Amino acid sequence: MLSSACSESRICLLDNWTSPMDFLLLGLGNVPELQSPLFFLTFMIYSVTMAGNILIIVLVVAVQHLHTPMYFFLVNLSSLETCYSSTILPRLLASFLTGDGTISAHGCITQFYFFGSFVTSECYLLAAMSYDRYLAICQPLLYASFMTWKVCIQMAAGSWLMGFLLSAVVIHLLSQLKFCGPKAIDHFFCDLIPLLELSCSETRVVMLVTFMLSLLDLVFPFLFMLASYVCIIAAILRIPSRVSRQKAFSTCSSHLTVITVFYGTLIIVYMMSRSVSLRQLNKVLSFFYTILTPLVNSLIYSLRNREVREALSKGLRKAVVCIQRS
């Protein structure tokens, strides 16, 4: 019975996700003096992230010589990171500004669905990008025939589709749970573990299915990328010329850095215990991989990539000339 599942100190607030209910996101901390600095910091991060990723998309679309598979995947990566930053940051900014951390049940499950979908899609997309780099460096003579535009579109579309389908399975199971008060989510966005901590239903099935799906959307892509880069590094080390080795490594260094940052923080966050003493640290690390990682990725690809820098400088010069003529 639901009444026996909920402790005496709690009131059953929600029979299912169709009932009207608000959750309270506790955010990054209950320190009023920090709300304004956190708002401005987060606003700056969001602005730079959006500007950087949109700039990459515009440059790749506008500059003809960037119309290659590598930059096609980069456009998809920038689009994903723009989307998943936008599932969290506008709501977080509003809570800093108003002090109101409430979110409806429907809003919470929608936020978690889209966030999970975009993150899962990014895992598959990063794997597709590693395959592209593997072919370019280890099988250069076969690259053009293997990495056709049809294959690129199928791999990118498959990444997006897998993300939305796998997340839908978890959302379906989550929507069957019953939730009891207190309704405070000790996080700054609706994530799976903090939500399950509020459930007064049996959550073992959800956890088991989530674990199995995480093998598909996190572990397998990671192992694929690891194997790809073992082959890539081995191929680079066999190149006799030092200059050629540096040039070959420069084509995949940005992608390797993005994988390290993304998976490093992701693994730490979800492997770390959510004990009371570590919850604040968990939220800080979650802040890093959900908010700072998209910013870092856009900076990595815009500042460390020579072709993107050259395209940007040419675009700026043309803009200055047009302004001067007008």
Side-chain angles (χ1 to χ4, degrees), residues 222-297:
F222 177 74
L223 292 177
F224 180 83
M225 286 182 275
L226 186 63
S228 297
Y229 271 99
V230 168
C231 296
I232 289 171
I233 293 171
I236 291 174
L237 293 176
R238 287 196 298 267
I239 298 174
S241 169
R242 181 171 175 270
V243 174
S244 298
R245 284 199 303 268
Q246 290 178 340
K247 184 178 180 181
F249 186 74
S250 67
T251 63
C252 59
S253 59
S254 296
H255 179 248
L256 184 58
T257 305
V258 167
I259 291 173
T260 303
V261 172
F262 179 76
Y263 266 95
T265 53
L266 196 66
I267 290 170
I268 292 172
V269 166
Y270 289 105
M271 292 295 289
M272 180 183 292
S273 168
R274 275 189 57 83
S275 61
V276 176
S277 59
L278 293 176
R279 283 189 180 183
Q280 283 302 120
L281 178 59
N282 186 283
K283 283 194 278 187
V284 170
L285 293 173
S286 295
F287 184 88
F288 187 89
Y289 97 84
T290 58
I291 295 172
L292 291 181
T293 299
L295 170 66
V296 171
N297 291 352

Side-chain angles (χ1 to χ4, degrees), residues 76-313:
N76 279 270
L77 180 64
S78 295
S79 301
L80 275 173
E81 296 194 329
T82 299
C83 290
Y84 92 65
S85 293
S86 298
T87 63
I88 295 175
L89 287 181
R91 180 68 191 77
L92 183 60
L93 287 169
S95 67
F96 285 145
L97 200 60
T98 63
D100 182 11
T102 58
I103 184 171
S104 68
H106 289 117
C108 188
I109 200 169
T110 300
Q111 184 188 60
F112 173 64
Y113 172 66
F114 282 105
F115 173 74
S117 299
F118 294 136
V119 171
T120 301
S121 297
E122 181 161 342
C123 293
Y124 285 107
L125 187 64
L126 289 173
M129 294 173 76
S130 69
Y131 177 66
D132 172 72
R133 292 300 84 207
Y134 164 78
L135 286 178
I137 293 173
C138 299
Q139 305 288 341
L141 298 179
L142 300 175
Y143 182 79
S145 59
F146 276 39
M147 194 57 68
T148 62
W149 280 111
K150 180 180 179 181
V151 171
C152 292
I153 292 170
Q154 288 174 342
M155 291 173 70
S159 299
W160 287 81
L161 185 61
M162 286 294 289
F164 281 92
L165 289 179
L166 292 178
S167 295
V169 175
V170 178
I171 290 299
H172 173 72
L173 294 173
L174 192 61
S175 66
Q176 307 304 309
L177 299 180
K178 295 178 174 61
F179 289 80
C180 301
K183 54 183 179 177
I185 299 174
D186 192 9
H187 217 315
F188 59 89
F189 72 100
C190 293
D191 202 3
L192 180 64
I193 302 302
L195 278 171
L196 293 181
E197 290 174 349
L198 299 183
S199 174
C200 50
S201 301
E202 178 57 61
T203 61
R204 280 183 297 181
V205 173
V206 181
M207 293 296 292
L208 178 61
V209 172
T210 302
F211 174 76
M212 293 171 63
L213 291 178
S214 69
L215 294 178
L216 289 175
D217 56 34
L218 292 176
V219 178
F220 288 165
F222 177 74
L223 292 177
F224 180 83
M225 286 182 275
L226 186 63
S228 297
Y229 271 99
V230 168
C231 296
I232 289 171
I233 293 171
I236 291 174
L237 293 176
R238 287 196 298 267
I239 298 174
S241 169
R242 181 171 175 270
V243 174
S244 298
R245 284 199 303 268
Q246 290 178 340
K247 184 178 180 181
F249 186 74
S250 67
T251 63
C252 59
S253 59
S254 296
H255 179 248
L256 184 58
T257 305
V258 167
I259 291 173
T260 303
V261 172
F262 179 76
Y263 266 95
T265 53
L266 196 66
I267 290 170
I268 292 172
V269 166
Y270 289 105
M271 292 295 289
M272 180 183 292
S273 168
R274 275 189 57 83
S275 61
V276 176
S277 59
L278 293 176
R279 283 189 180 183
Q280 283 302 120
L281 178 59
N282 186 283
K283 283 194 278 187
V284 170
L285 293 173
S286 295
F287 184 88
F288 187 89
Y289 97 84
T290 58
I291 295 172
L292 291 181
T293 299
L295 170 66
V296 171
N297 291 352
S298 64
L299 294 177
I300 287 171
Y301 274 107
S302 59
L303 297 180
R304 292 192 59 185
N305 190 292
R306 180 179 57 82
E307 290 182 311
V308 172
R309 290 200 309 269
E310 289 176 355
L312 179 59
S313 63

Side-chain angles (χ1 to χ4, degrees), residues 43-61:
F43 179 76
M44 288 299 298
I45 291 172
Y46 185 49
S47 300
V48 175
T49 299
M50 294 295 288
N53 283 301
I54 291 173
L55 179 62
I56 289 173
I57 295 170
V58 171
L59 280 175
V60 173
V61 172

